Amino acid sequence: MRRSLNRKYAAGIAAALSAVATTVAVPALAESAEGNHRTPAGGIDWHACADPDFKDMQCGSIRVPVNWSRPRAGSLSLALVRRPADDPAHRQGTLLLNDGAGGSSIEQLRLAITKVHLPTYAGAMTHNFDLVAVDPRGVGHSTPIRCEKPLKPAGVSHFPRNKAGLDGLVAHNRAFAKDCLRRNGPLAAHVDLTSTARDFEEVRIGLGERQLNWYGIHYSTLVGRTYAKLYPGRLRTMVLDTALDDTGSARSRVLQEAATAETAFNRFTAWCATSTDCALHGKDAAAEYDALVAQADRTPVPVAGAAHRPLTGEDIREATQDYLTLSGYNWADLAKAIVKGRDGDATDFTRDPDDTLDPVQVQVPACLDNARPVHSLAQFTRLQRELARVSPHLGGAVRSSKAIAGCLGWPVPAKPVKAGAPVHGAPPALILQSTHQALAPYRAGSAMAAQLPGSVVLAREGDDYSMFLISKCVRGATNRYLTTRTLPAPGTTCTD
């Protein structure tokens, strides 16, 4: 039986219901001219996109309940962008693009179009399929989660060393949650995995498709798996890029992620030793990084301008993981950030390399989707020792550890999805997994495949995610699967 919200905040949530009950338009994306307006019976309000990056595409919105168990108690708006198939005569359906967990799929589509010129290399993906990017509930252009208080102000640590530090962390988390609940009403309690997955069934109905094709990255691999479980037979294909493994305990997951990110860091420092593109080439990159962290722990390192507080070593460690996710794009920037930090300017560690993510919109769902395994100072101390053992440079300062610490004292109970059992009615999936990745271990691909009978893990030798953008081999296998539903042979590895 579902537990009720903490009474202290229940009245505030009820009072704020109207804050998310009104229609949220997408003025930056939609053209409201009468001649371009069309509202299909399925409920998606389509317009010609006004944004020049989405020329000749359609922008739309659809209403879904805030709380699926009380569908008449208020609604929110989901934003969509549709790129029609280049060859309508051979169209094979709709490919749904989704990232989730604070990531705007619409902004990722924009980057794919403007930075890497998506149609010029995508092949069957853009030739045979309508691409539909949907910003999940609480994210980006959809009704967004907005909170005023900072995620982690000065004086608050996600790695408390004493009771005062733990009490300060809990007090801040409670104040942050109270602010989020006050500003966002029930939405802040319903950006969980199951609610998000239910939204996509409404999208499918609105699109008028009997089945959808799913392309999910990272967190959206879990959304896709959950959608397939809730709605058997509604997916034709599933491409899951950088699958996550949520079958184990929260404690085991954070340790695995920390070890994976540490391996990625070691591969970055090895690259620095051999590549003149690294600003630390000729130096011990790991030692330079450790010295920067120690320097910042002694005296926080300033950032440019007055808008951001100086950074501690913990802040720098927490910012490092996302720099490790795309070797060809971000590793050189990480080296420059370390050099700049050693010179007394930590500004680059305040910028997430993935600017399609909103940290608040990552954190709030994390408090609903993940069990909370750590509560006492003794438990924190044990976990910190284990993290330091598997992650001596990064200290375990990864997304999962931030979620565990940032959700301590959160007033809304967690409601994690039960994972691990085979999902019946799901199509055999193509799971794309890098052999080395800072966000997910390679073995997470096999854990996902075990839940989706008949699925195949296509390995890609390297350190990156979003592999369709990077690897010709991955593009070929993905397009074959999307068009013919033919999977590569088990054990296949892409090396380009």
Side-chain angles (χ1 to χ4, degrees):
M1 185 171 64
R2 292 181 59 184
R3 294 165 58 192
S4 62
L5 297 178
N6 186 309
R7 289 184 181 180
K8 182 177 180 181
Y9 302 109
I13 292 177
L17 179 61
S18 61
V20 291
T22 56
T23 301
V24 177
V26 191
L29 300 177
E31 178 67 61
S32 59
E34 196 68 32
N36 292 323
H37 186 270
R38 181 168 66 90
T39 305
I44 298 179
D45 182 13
W46 290 111
H47 304 76
C49 293
D51 191 313
D53 289 339
F54 299 130
K55 184 181 179 182
D56 299 325
M57 301 183 201
Q58 294 173 307
C59 291
S61 62
I62 186 171
R63 307 295 302 177
V64 295
V66 172
N67 181 351
W68 276 101
S69 65
R70 298 180 60 206
R72 297 183 180 180
S75 65
L76 61 93
S77 177
L78 300 179
L80 308 87
V81 172
R82 176 163 62 185
R83 182 190 185 278
D86 292 329
D87 185 0
H90 296 92
R91 179 184 177 276
Q92 291 184 265
T94 291
L95 179 62
L96 208 63
L97 308 176
N98 178 242
D99 185 31
S104 169
S105 305
I106 290 172
E107 292 308 312
Q108 290 199 338
L109 177 62
R110 183 197 306 278
L111 288 177
I113 291 169
T114 60
K115 301 298 183 184
V116 290
H117 309 295
L118 177 67
T120 63
Y121 68 87
M125 178 183 282
T126 51
H127 199 70
N128 294 50
F129 295 89
D130 293 350
L131 301 186
V132 175
V134 184
D135 278 0
R137 57 171 54 213
V139 171
H141 298 275
S142 295
T143 302
I145 293 287
R146 294 280 185 248
C147 307
E148 184 66 23
K149 286 186 175 294
L151 273 173
K152 192 177 76 168
V156 171
S157 171
H158 286 157
F159 294 83
R161 301 293 182 183
N162 50 44
K163 188 176 184 302
L166 179 60
D167 290 346
L169 172 62
V170 172
H172 168 69
N173 289 347
R174 286 176 175 162
F176 177 77
K178 183 178 180 180
D179 173 68
C180 289
L181 293 169
R182 179 178 64 83
R183 292 176 181 276
N184 300 283
L187 178 59
H190 294 286
V191 285
D192 58 285
L193 196 57
T194 299
S195 297
T196 300
R198 289 190 183 280
D199 292 343
F200 287 101
E201 176 63 0
E202 201 73 5
V203 170
R204 181 194 69 81
I205 294 168
L207 290 169
E209 298 281 8
R210 186 179 67 85
Q211 290 183 309
L212 292 170
N213 300 278
W214 187 278
Y215 196 113
I217 300 175
H218 195 244
Y219 175 84
S220 185
T221 64
L222 304 182
V223 181
R225 188 264 336 260
T226 305
Y227 176 81
K229 183 177 181 179
L230 289 170
Y231 303 103
R234 306 291 169 79
L235 291 178
R236 174 182 170 273
T237 60
M238 294 178 73
V239 181
L240 304 179
D241 183 327
T242 311
L244 297 181
D245 178 10
D246 60 347
T247 60
S249 69
R251 189 181 190 89
S252 67
R253 292 202 302 272
V254 68
L255 289 170
Q256 289 174 12
E257 184 182 346
T260 297
E262 187 75 12
T263 298
F265 178 82
N266 291 337
R267 288 174 64 83
F268 157 73
T269 59
W271 170 78
C272 277
T274 60
S275 175
T276 55
D277 291 336
C278 177
L280 292 166
H281 184 67
K283 299 181 179 180
D284 184 333
E288 289 293 316
Y289 179 82
D290 291 343
L292 171 60
V293 169
Q295 170 189 340
D297 276 335
R298 289 190 302 270
T299 305
V301 180
V303 300
H308 201 291
R309 61 178 173 78
L311 300 190
T312 65
E314 179 183 315
D315 296 328
I316 290 170
R317 280 172 157 166
E318 288 189 335
T320 301
Q321 183 185 21
D322 284 344
Y323 268 112
L324 297 168
T325 56
L326 290 168
S327 58
Y329 292 90
N330 297 335
W331 283 11
D333 289 339
L334 174 57
K336 292 173 185 175
I338 295 169
V339 170
K340 194 172 175 180
R342 291 284 280 148
D343 289 337
D345 182 359
T347 301
D348 290 354
F349 287 102
T350 67
R351 299 169 181 159
D352 193 319
D354 185 352
D355 58 7
T356 67
L357 290 175
D358 182 301
V360 168
Q361 293 166 10
V362 173
Q363 180 65 36
V364 176
C367 294
L368 302 176
D369 289 334
N370 297 288
R372 300 165 197 173
V374 176
H375 302 281
S376 68
L377 180 61
Q379 290 173 327
F380 259 109
T381 301
R382 284 195 297 272
L383 180 60
Q384 287 174 46
R385 287 173 182 163
E386 292 178 87
L387 289 170
R389 176 178 56 82
V390 301
S391 179
H393 295 294
L394 301 184
V398 293
R399 290 186 184 184
S400 293
S401 64
K402 286 188 281 187
I404 288 173
C407 297
L408 191 65
W410 197 263
V412 183
K415 37 191 172 185
V417 167
K418 291 183 180 180
V423 177
H424 302 291
L430 174 61
I431 299 170
L432 310 175
Q433 206 79 2
S434 281
T435 53
H436 302 92
Q437 228 295 310
L439 295 173
Y442 175 69
R443 62 181 174 272
S446 297
M448 179 62 78
Q451 298 170 72
L452 303 168
S455 297
V456 168
V457 178
L458 175 62
R460 192 257 173 177
E461 184 66 39
D463 304 84
D464 308 306
Y465 75 129
S466 293
M467 284 167 272
F468 188 88
L469 303 180
I470 295 167
S471 166
K472 182 179 179 181
C473 170
V474 169
R475 283 196 295 277
T478 300
N479 281 329
R480 274 192 303 276
Y481 170 66
L482 288 173
T483 53
T484 68
R485 291 185 278 190
T486 302
L487 290 164
T492 302
T493 299
C494 289
T495 57
D496 67 349

